[in-house]
Amino acid sequence: MTVFFSKKCEYGLQAVLFMAAREYDCVCPAEEISKKLIIPREFISKILQSLTESGIIESKKGKAGGFKLAKHPSKIKLIDIVEAIDGLDSFNSCVLGFPHCSPDKPCPVHDQWGALRTKAYEMLSSETIDKFKEKTLNKIKI
Amino acid sequence: MTVFFSKKCEYGLQAVLFMAAREYDCVCPAEEISKKLIIPREFISKILQSLTESGIIESKKGKAGGFKLAKHPSKIKLIDIVEAIDGLDSFNSCVLGFPHCSPDKPCPVHDQWGALRTKAYEMLSSETIDKFKEKTLNKIKI
DNA sequence: ACTTTATCAGATTATAAAGTCTGATTATCT
DNA sequence: AGATAATCAGACTTTATAATCTGATAAAGT
Protein backbone atom coordinates (compact mmCIF):
# COMPACT_ATOMS: atom_id res chain seq x y z
CA MET A 1 0.00 0.00 0.00
CA THR A 2 2.13 2.87 1.29
CA VAL A 3 -0.37 5.68 0.85
CA PHE A 4 0.35 9.22 1.87
CA PHE A 5 -3.10 10.78 1.59
CA SER A 6 -6.43 8.99 1.65
CA LYS A 7 -8.42 8.91 -1.58
CA LYS A 8 -10.86 11.39 -0.05
CA CYS A 9 -8.02 13.80 0.56
CA GLU A 10 -6.51 13.38 -2.92
CA TYR A 11 -9.89 14.08 -4.48
CA GLY A 12 -10.49 17.04 -2.20
CA LEU A 13 -7.12 18.53 -3.09
CA GLN A 14 -7.76 18.02 -6.80
CA ALA A 15 -11.20 19.59 -6.59
CA VAL A 16 -10.01 22.69 -4.76
CA LEU A 17 -7.09 23.12 -7.17
CA PHE A 18 -9.57 22.82 -10.02
CA MET A 19 -11.78 25.56 -8.61
CA ALA A 20 -8.78 27.77 -7.96
CA ALA A 21 -7.67 27.42 -11.57
CA ARG A 22 -10.94 28.81 -12.90
CA GLU A 23 -12.20 32.37 -12.95
CA TYR A 24 -12.56 33.66 -9.43
CA ASP A 25 -16.07 33.28 -7.99
CA CYS A 26 -17.12 30.91 -10.76
CA VAL A 27 -19.58 28.33 -9.45
CA CYS A 28 -18.76 24.70 -10.31
CA PRO A 29 -21.48 22.04 -10.10
CA ALA A 30 -20.46 18.77 -8.46
CA GLU A 31 -21.39 17.07 -11.73
CA GLU A 32 -18.76 19.03 -13.64
CA ILE A 33 -16.03 18.42 -11.08
CA SER A 34 -16.88 14.73 -11.12
CA LYS A 35 -16.52 14.55 -14.90
CA LYS A 36 -13.37 16.62 -15.26
CA LEU A 37 -11.52 14.83 -12.48
CA ILE A 38 -13.05 11.40 -13.09
CA ILE A 39 -14.31 11.00 -9.54
CA PRO A 40 -17.62 9.24 -8.78
CA ARG A 41 -20.32 11.92 -8.65
CA GLU A 42 -21.82 11.11 -5.25
CA PHE A 43 -18.42 10.61 -3.69
CA ILE A 44 -17.05 14.00 -4.65
CA SER A 45 -20.36 15.53 -3.53
CA LYS A 46 -19.82 14.21 -0.03
CA ILE A 47 -16.23 15.42 0.03
CA LEU A 48 -17.25 18.89 -1.19
CA GLN A 49 -19.98 18.92 1.41
CA SER A 50 -17.46 18.31 4.17
CA LEU A 51 -15.13 20.99 2.78
CA THR A 52 -18.12 23.35 2.90
CA GLU A 53 -18.55 22.56 6.59
CA SER A 54 -14.86 23.30 7.09
CA GLY A 55 -15.36 26.72 5.51
CA ILE A 56 -12.90 26.19 2.65
CA ILE A 57 -15.55 26.28 -0.05
CA GLU A 58 -19.20 27.32 -0.13
CA SER A 59 -22.20 25.83 -1.86
CA LYS A 60 -24.96 27.44 -3.80
CA LYS A 61 -28.17 25.51 -4.18
CA GLY A 62 -30.73 25.44 -6.95
CA LYS A 63 -30.43 25.94 -10.67
CA ALA A 64 -26.97 27.12 -11.70
CA GLY A 65 -25.81 26.09 -8.24
CA GLY A 66 -22.61 24.35 -7.29
CA PHE A 67 -19.47 25.03 -5.30
CA LYS A 68 -16.94 27.83 -5.21
CA LEU A 69 -14.03 28.81 -3.03
CA ALA A 70 -15.07 30.54 0.18
CA LYS A 71 -12.03 32.81 0.01
CA HIS A 72 -9.53 34.02 -2.55
CA PRO A 73 -6.97 31.37 -3.69
CA SER A 74 -4.23 33.55 -2.24
CA LYS A 75 -5.70 32.78 1.19
CA ILE A 76 -5.83 29.00 0.81
CA LYS A 77 -3.04 26.48 1.32
CA LEU A 78 -2.97 22.78 0.52
CA ILE A 79 -2.44 21.98 4.19
CA ASP A 80 -5.86 23.51 4.98
CA ILE A 81 -7.52 20.86 2.85
CA VAL A 82 -5.39 18.05 4.24
CA GLU A 83 -6.17 19.15 7.78
CA ALA A 84 -9.90 19.31 7.04
CA ILE A 85 -10.05 15.83 5.51
CA ASP A 86 -7.27 13.60 6.86
CA GLY A 87 -6.18 15.60 9.88
CA LEU A 88 -2.59 16.26 10.87
CA ASP A 89 -1.97 13.26 13.12
CA SER A 90 0.49 11.60 10.78
CA PHE A 91 2.76 14.63 11.05
CA ASN A 92 3.23 13.71 14.69
CA SER A 93 3.60 9.96 14.74
CA CYS A 94 6.35 7.40 14.27
CA VAL A 95 6.66 6.13 10.71
CA LEU A 96 7.62 2.66 11.96
CA GLY A 97 4.64 2.61 14.30
CA PHE A 98 6.62 2.56 17.53
CA PRO A 99 4.88 4.15 20.50
CA HIS A 100 6.33 7.20 22.29
CA CYS A 101 8.93 7.98 19.65
CA SER A 102 10.89 11.03 20.80
CA PRO A 103 14.28 12.72 20.44
CA ASP A 104 15.62 11.03 23.59
CA LYS A 105 14.22 7.60 22.65
CA PRO A 106 14.37 7.73 18.87
CA CYS A 107 13.48 4.86 16.57
CA PRO A 108 16.02 3.88 13.89
CA VAL A 109 14.76 6.47 11.41
CA HIS A 110 13.46 9.11 13.81
CA ASP A 111 15.70 11.99 12.78
CA GLN A 112 15.50 11.38 9.08
CA TRP A 113 11.76 10.93 9.09
CA GLY A 114 11.36 14.04 11.21
CA ALA A 115 13.22 16.08 8.62
CA LEU A 116 11.17 14.62 5.79
CA ARG A 117 7.92 15.28 7.62
CA THR A 118 8.91 18.90 8.10
CA LYS A 119 9.68 19.19 4.39
CA ALA A 120 6.34 17.63 3.54
CA TYR A 121 4.57 20.09 5.80
CA GLU A 122 6.41 22.94 4.12
CA MET A 123 5.46 21.62 0.72
CA LEU A 124 1.83 21.87 1.74
CA SER A 125 1.96 25.13 3.66
CA SER A 126 4.58 27.41 2.16
CA GLU A 127 2.63 28.43 -0.91
CA THR A 128 -0.97 29.46 -1.45
CA ILE A 129 -2.92 27.77 -4.20
CA ASP A 130 -3.10 30.82 -6.48
CA LYS A 131 0.50 29.92 -7.37
CA PHE A 132 -0.55 26.53 -8.69
CA LYS A 133 -2.88 27.63 -11.46
CA GLU A 134 -0.51 26.88 -14.32
CA LYS A 135 0.57 23.47 -13.06
CA THR A 136 -3.00 22.52 -12.30
CA LEU A 137 -3.83 23.16 -15.95
CA ASN A 138 -1.22 20.53 -16.85
CA LYS A 139 -3.39 17.97 -15.15
CA ILE A 140 -6.96 19.17 -15.70
CA LYS A 141 -8.57 20.47 -18.86
CA ILE A 142 -10.91 23.32 -17.93
CA MET B 1 -5.76 8.99 7.63
CA THR B 2 -2.54 9.91 5.86
CA VAL B 3 -0.66 6.65 6.28
CA PHE B 4 2.82 6.06 4.92
CA PHE B 5 3.20 2.33 5.51
CA SER B 6 0.40 -0.15 6.00
CA LYS B 7 0.06 -1.69 9.44
CA LYS B 8 1.36 -4.95 8.01
CA CYS B 9 4.50 -3.19 6.85
CA GLU B 10 5.04 -1.35 10.15
CA TYR B 11 4.75 -4.63 12.03
CA GLY B 12 7.04 -6.41 9.58
CA LEU B 13 9.68 -3.70 9.94
CA GLN B 14 9.44 -3.83 13.72
CA ALA B 15 9.72 -7.60 13.80
CA VAL B 16 12.79 -7.72 11.57
CA LEU B 17 14.47 -4.95 13.57
CA PHE B 18 13.71 -6.93 16.70
CA MET B 19 15.35 -10.06 15.32
CA ALA B 20 18.35 -8.09 14.13
CA ALA B 21 18.85 -6.63 17.59
CA ARG B 22 19.21 -10.07 19.16
CA GLU B 23 22.12 -12.48 19.06
CA TYR B 24 22.76 -13.54 15.49
CA ASP B 25 21.04 -16.80 14.51
CA CYS B 26 18.82 -16.77 17.60
CA VAL B 27 15.41 -18.26 16.81
CA CYS B 28 12.40 -16.17 17.89
CA PRO B 29 8.98 -17.81 18.25
CA ALA B 30 6.06 -15.81 16.82
CA GLU B 31 4.56 -15.83 20.30
CA GLU B 32 7.52 -13.91 21.71
CA ILE B 33 7.55 -11.34 18.92
CA SER B 34 3.83 -10.86 19.38
CA LYS B 35 4.24 -10.16 23.10
CA LYS B 36 7.29 -7.91 22.88
CA LEU B 37 5.91 -5.78 20.08
CA ILE B 38 2.26 -5.95 21.18
CA ILE B 39 1.02 -7.28 17.85
CA PRO B 40 -1.82 -9.81 17.63
CA ARG B 41 -0.26 -13.28 17.58
CA GLU B 42 -1.97 -14.64 14.48
CA PHE B 43 -1.47 -11.43 12.57
CA ILE B 44 2.28 -11.27 13.06
CA SER B 45 2.44 -14.98 12.19
CA LYS B 46 0.94 -14.26 8.80
CA ILE B 47 3.31 -11.38 8.21
CA LEU B 48 6.34 -13.44 9.23
CA GLN B 49 5.12 -16.22 6.98
CA SER B 50 5.07 -13.86 4.00
CA LEU B 51 8.53 -12.53 4.86
CA THR B 52 9.71 -16.13 4.88
CA GLU B 53 8.38 -16.56 1.35
CA SER B 54 10.26 -13.41 0.35
CA GLY B 55 13.46 -14.94 1.68
CA ILE B 56 14.16 -12.24 4.26
CA ILE B 57 13.70 -14.53 7.23
CA GLU B 58 13.45 -18.29 7.64
CA SER B 59 11.24 -20.41 9.81
CA LYS B 60 12.01 -23.43 11.89
CA LYS B 61 9.15 -25.71 12.77
CA GLY B 62 8.57 -27.85 15.80
CA LYS B 63 9.58 -27.45 19.41
CA ALA B 64 12.04 -24.59 19.96
CA GLY B 65 11.03 -23.40 16.50
CA GLY B 66 10.40 -19.86 15.37
CA PHE B 67 11.85 -17.33 13.00
CA LYS B 68 15.29 -15.96 12.36
CA LEU B 69 16.93 -13.76 9.77
CA ALA B 70 17.82 -15.58 6.57
CA LYS B 71 21.00 -13.54 6.19
CA HIS B 72 23.26 -11.41 8.32
CA PRO B 73 21.79 -8.02 9.35
CA SER B 74 24.58 -6.34 7.40
CA LYS B 75 22.93 -7.71 4.25
CA ILE B 76 19.40 -6.48 5.00
CA LYS B 77 17.93 -3.03 4.39
CA LEU B 78 14.59 -1.62 5.48
CA ILE B 79 13.57 -1.14 1.87
CA ASP B 80 13.74 -4.93 1.37
CA ILE B 81 10.97 -5.38 3.91
CA VAL B 82 8.89 -2.52 2.51
CA GLU B 83 9.22 -3.94 -0.97
CA ALA B 84 8.20 -7.41 0.19
CA ILE B 85 5.10 -6.21 2.02
CA ASP B 86 3.78 -2.96 0.55
CA GLY B 87 5.64 -2.91 -2.74
CA LEU B 88 7.35 0.13 -4.22
CA ASP B 89 4.47 1.54 -6.27
CA SER B 90 4.02 4.61 -4.12
CA PHE B 91 7.56 5.65 -4.91
CA ASN B 92 6.43 6.08 -8.48
CA SER B 93 3.03 7.70 -8.25
CA CYS B 94 1.63 11.20 -7.89
CA VAL B 95 0.98 12.23 -4.31
CA LEU B 96 -2.11 14.22 -5.37
CA GLY B 97 -3.43 11.25 -7.30
CA PHE B 98 -3.20 12.83 -10.75
CA PRO B 99 -2.65 10.39 -13.59
CA HIS B 100 0.45 10.51 -15.80
CA CYS B 101 2.39 12.92 -13.59
CA SER B 102 5.75 13.58 -15.23
CA PRO B 103 8.50 16.20 -15.46
CA ASP B 104 6.99 17.75 -18.58
CA LYS B 105 3.44 17.72 -17.21
CA PRO B 106 4.07 18.15 -13.48
CA CYS B 107 1.36 18.51 -10.85
CA PRO B 108 1.62 21.46 -8.43
CA VAL B 109 3.92 19.62 -6.04
CA HIS B 110 5.66 17.28 -8.47
CA ASP B 111 9.22 18.48 -7.97
CA GLN B 112 9.03 18.83 -4.22
CA TRP B 113 7.37 15.48 -3.74
CA GLY B 114 9.87 13.86 -6.05
CA ALA B 115 12.72 15.14 -3.91
CA LEU B 116 11.02 13.93 -0.73
CA ARG B 117 10.35 10.53 -2.20
CA THR B 118 14.00 10.19 -3.11
CA LYS B 119 14.99 11.11 0.44
CA ALA B 120 12.52 8.60 1.83
CA TYR B 121 13.95 5.92 -0.42
CA GLU B 122 17.45 6.80 0.77
CA MET B 123 16.31 6.64 4.37
CA LEU B 124 15.20 3.07 3.79
CA SER B 125 18.05 1.91 1.59
CA SER B 126 21.25 3.70 2.54
CA GLU B 127 21.94 1.75 5.72
CA THR B 128 21.74 -1.91 6.59
CA ILE B 129 19.87 -2.91 9.71
CA ASP B 130 22.93 -3.96 11.69
CA LYS B 131 23.41 -0.20 12.22
CA PHE B 132 20.07 0.10 13.96
CA LYS B 133 20.66 -2.21 16.89
CA GLU B 134 21.11 0.50 19.48
CA LYS B 135 18.13 2.58 18.42
CA THR B 136 15.93 -0.49 18.18
CA LEU B 137 16.72 -1.18 21.84
CA ASN B 138 15.25 2.25 22.63
CA LYS B 139 11.92 0.96 21.45
CA ILE B 140 11.91 -2.74 22.32
CA LYS B 141 13.00 -4.46 25.51
CA ILE B 142 14.73 -7.69 24.60
C1' DA C 1 -46.79 29.42 -8.56
C1' DC C 2 -44.67 25.76 -11.00
C1' DT C 3 -40.94 23.34 -12.98
C1' DT C 4 -36.34 22.38 -13.28
C1' DT C 5 -31.86 21.58 -11.61
C1' DA C 6 -29.08 21.56 -8.31
C1' DT C 7 -27.35 20.45 -3.41
C1' DC C 8 -28.18 18.15 1.17
C1' DA C 9 -28.48 14.46 4.35
C1' DG C 10 -28.43 10.11 5.78
C1' DA C 11 -28.84 5.23 4.92
C1' DT C 12 -26.90 1.63 2.35
C1' DT C 13 -23.63 -1.27 -0.20
C1' DA C 14 -18.94 -2.72 -1.83
C1' DT C 15 -14.21 -3.37 -1.29
C1' DA C 16 -9.92 -3.59 1.00
C1' DA C 17 -7.26 -3.84 5.04
C1' DA C 18 -6.73 -5.68 9.63
C1' DG C 19 -7.23 -9.19 12.63
C1' DT C 20 -8.96 -14.13 14.21
C1' DC C 21 -9.88 -19.07 14.19
C1' DT C 22 -9.21 -23.82 13.23
C1' DG C 23 -7.16 -27.92 11.75
C1' DA C 24 -3.11 -29.91 9.60
C1' DT C 25 1.71 -30.51 9.62
C1' DT C 26 6.26 -30.85 11.22
C1' DA C 27 10.22 -31.15 14.14
C1' DT C 28 12.19 -31.96 18.58
C1' DC C 29 12.46 -33.88 23.07
C1' DT C 30 11.74 -37.70 26.21
C1' DA D 1 7.28 -44.10 18.97
C1' DG D 2 4.54 -40.86 21.24
C1' DA D 3 3.68 -36.35 23.27
C1' DT D 4 4.42 -31.72 22.83
C1' DA D 5 5.11 -27.25 20.99
C1' DA D 6 5.75 -24.84 17.38
C1' DT D 7 4.72 -23.22 12.41
C1' DC D 8 1.74 -23.47 8.18
C1' DA D 9 -2.23 -22.72 5.37
C1' DG D 10 -6.39 -21.15 4.35
C1' DA D 11 -10.98 -19.87 5.56
C1' DC D 12 -13.33 -16.64 8.20
C1' DT D 13 -14.72 -12.24 10.72
C1' DT D 14 -14.32 -7.50 11.71
C1' DT D 15 -13.49 -2.81 10.80
C1' DA D 16 -12.50 1.16 8.02
C1' DT D 17 -12.48 3.29 3.69
C1' DA D 18 -14.59 4.01 -0.70
C1' DA D 19 -18.52 4.44 -3.31
C1' DT D 20 -23.68 4.46 -4.23
C1' DC D 21 -28.61 5.21 -3.74
C1' DT D 22 -32.74 7.60 -2.47
C1' DG D 23 -35.70 11.04 -0.95
C1' DA D 24 -35.91 15.70 0.80
C1' DT D 25 -34.93 20.46 0.16
C1' DA D 26 -33.90 24.70 -1.83
C1' DA D 27 -33.14 28.28 -5.24
C1' DA D 28 -33.58 30.22 -9.84
C1' DG D 29 -35.91 30.75 -14.26
C1' DT D 30 -40.24 30.80 -16.76
Side-chain angles (χ1 to χ4, degrees):
Chain A
M1 222 212 7
T2 326
V3 177
F4 195 67
F5 299 127
S6 69
K7 225 88 190 86
K8 261 185 194 160
C9 194
E10 282 183 9
Y11 289 158
L13 287 162
Q14 290 186 17
V16 172
L17 285 169
F18 174 76
M19 290 188 256
R22 310 202 66 168
E23 287 301 308
Y24 181 57
D25 248 5
C26 151
V27 172
C28 313
E31 179 67 20
E32 185 191 0
I33 297 176
S34 158
K35 281 199 177 137
K36 289 278 169 59
L37 302 177
I38 314 172
I39 301 170
R41 164 71 215 263
E42 299 300 327
F43 194 35
I44 192 63
S45 286
K46 275 201 107 32
I47 296 165
L48 293 169
Q49 221 168 291
S50 85
L51 286 175
T52 303
E53 277 176 43
S54 311
I56 291 165
I57 59 181
E58 21 187 73
S59 75
K60 196 186 161 199
K61 285 191 169 186
K63 194 167 182 180
F67 296 89
K68 62 166 195 163
L69 300 181
K71 29 193 175 178
H72 194 270
S74 65
K75 305 277 183 196
I76 302 175
K77 294 170 174 179
L78 294 178
I79 196 75
D80 303 330
I81 298 138
V82 174
E83 183 171 15
I85 300 179
D86 276 349
L88 300 180
D89 283 1
S90 70
F91 287 94
N92 289 302
S93 55
C94 175
V95 70
L96 299 180
F98 285 117
H100 322 302
C101 205
S102 64
D104 46 304
K105 292 266 185 187
C107 78
V109 296
H110 187 80
D111 296 342
Q112 289 159 88
W113 182 246
L116 283 178
R117 214 164 31 189
T118 303
K119 288 272 184 201
Y121 193 92
E122 279 170 15
M123 174 181 92
L124 299 169
S125 61
S126 62
E127 285 195 292
T128 50
I129 61 174
D130 57 321
K131 305 287 196 307
F132 296 144
K133 203 163 170 175
E134 191 193 333
K135 285 186 176 169
T136 299
L137 295 175
N138 279 333
K139 302 279 96 190
I140 311 166
K141 298 238 180 302
I142 287 185
Chain B
M1 225 213 3
T2 326
V3 176
F4 195 67
F5 298 127
S6 69
K7 225 86 192 87
K8 261 185 194 158
C9 194
E10 283 183 9
Y11 290 158
L13 287 162
Q14 290 185 17
V16 173
L17 285 169
F18 174 76
M19 289 187 256
R22 310 202 66 168
E23 286 301 309
Y24 181 57
D25 248 7
C26 151
V27 173
C28 315
E31 178 67 20
E32 184 193 0
I33 297 177
S34 159
K35 282 200 176 137
K36 287 278 169 59
L37 301 177
I38 314 172
I39 301 170
R41 164 70 215 262
E42 298 300 327
F43 195 33
I44 193 62
S45 285
K46 274 200 108 35
I47 296 165
L48 293 169
Q49 223 168 289
S50 85
L51 287 175
T52 303
E53 278 175 42
S54 312
I56 292 167
I57 60 181
E58 12 185 83
S59 75
K60 196 185 160 198
K61 284 189 171 188
K63 193 167 182 180
F67 297 90
K68 63 167 193 160
L69 300 180
K71 29 193 174 178
H72 195 270
S74 64
K75 304 275 183 198
I76 302 175
K77 294 171 175 180
L78 294 178
I79 196 75
D80 302 331
I81 300 139
V82 173
E83 183 171 14
I85 300 179
D86 276 349
L88 299 180
D89 284 0
S90 70
F91 288 95
N92 289 302
S93 56
C94 175
V95 70
L96 299 180
F98 285 117
H100 322 302
C101 205
S102 64
D104 45 305
K105 291 267 184 186
C107 79
V109 297
H110 187 80
D111 296 341
Q112 291 160 86
W113 182 246
L116 282 178
R117 214 163 33 188
T118 303
K119 288 274 182 199
Y121 193 92
E122 279 171 15
M123 174 180 93
L124 299 169
S125 62
S126 62
E127 287 194 291
T128 50
I129 60 174
D130 57 322
K131 304 287 195 310
F132 295 144
K133 203 163 170 174
E134 191 192 332
K135 285 186 177 169
T136 299
L137 295 174
N138 280 332
K139 304 277 95 191
I140 311 166
K141 300 237 179 301
I142 286 182

